[in-house]
Amino acid sequence: ITASLIVIAFGMDWVSGVSGVISMLGTMGPGMNAIGPYDNYSALHGVVKWVLIICMLLGRLEFYSLLVLFAPAYWRR
C-alpha cells in the first residue's frame, strides 16, 4: 500500500500505480493503463522507478529472506 501511495503521489493515476506495484511484487510483467503492454517504464520519475525496483526485489527474493538479512539475530551467529 505504501509503495502504491508513493507511485500515485508522483503523478500516476491510481490504476497505473496500484497495478504497477502489483505487477512488480508478483513479477508478472506489464501493469495497466500508463504502464500497460504497449507502454514502458521509461517515462516514470526516478523515485518511482526506484520504488518499483525495490518492489521487484521484494517480489523475487520473497519477503522473509530480506527480513532475515535485516534481523540482528542473523548476524550475531
Side-chain angles (χ1 to χ4, degrees):
I1 293 172
T2 305
S4 296
L5 292 175
I6 292 170
V7 171
I8 292 169
F10 278 90
M12 291 192 86
D13 59 310
W14 69 273
V15 174
S16 298
V18 171
S19 69
V21 170
I22 289 172
S23 70
M24 291 294 116
L25 286 172
T27 62
M28 61 184 161
M32 297 168 60
N33 284 354
I35 49 175
Y38 298 112
D39 295 318
N40 57 29
Y41 296 91
S42 66
L44 299 179
H45 192 272
V47 174
V48 173
K49 288 181 187 177
W50 277 105
V51 168
L52 293 178
I53 287 170
I54 292 168
C55 288
M56 185 178 64
L57 288 173
L58 286 173
R60 287 187 185 263
L61 299 176
E62 299 294 328
F63 290 105
Y64 294 114
S65 61
L66 285 177
L67 289 176
V68 166
L69 286 176
F70 294 115
Y74 175 77
W75 294 104
R76 287 185 194 143
R77 292 182 183 184

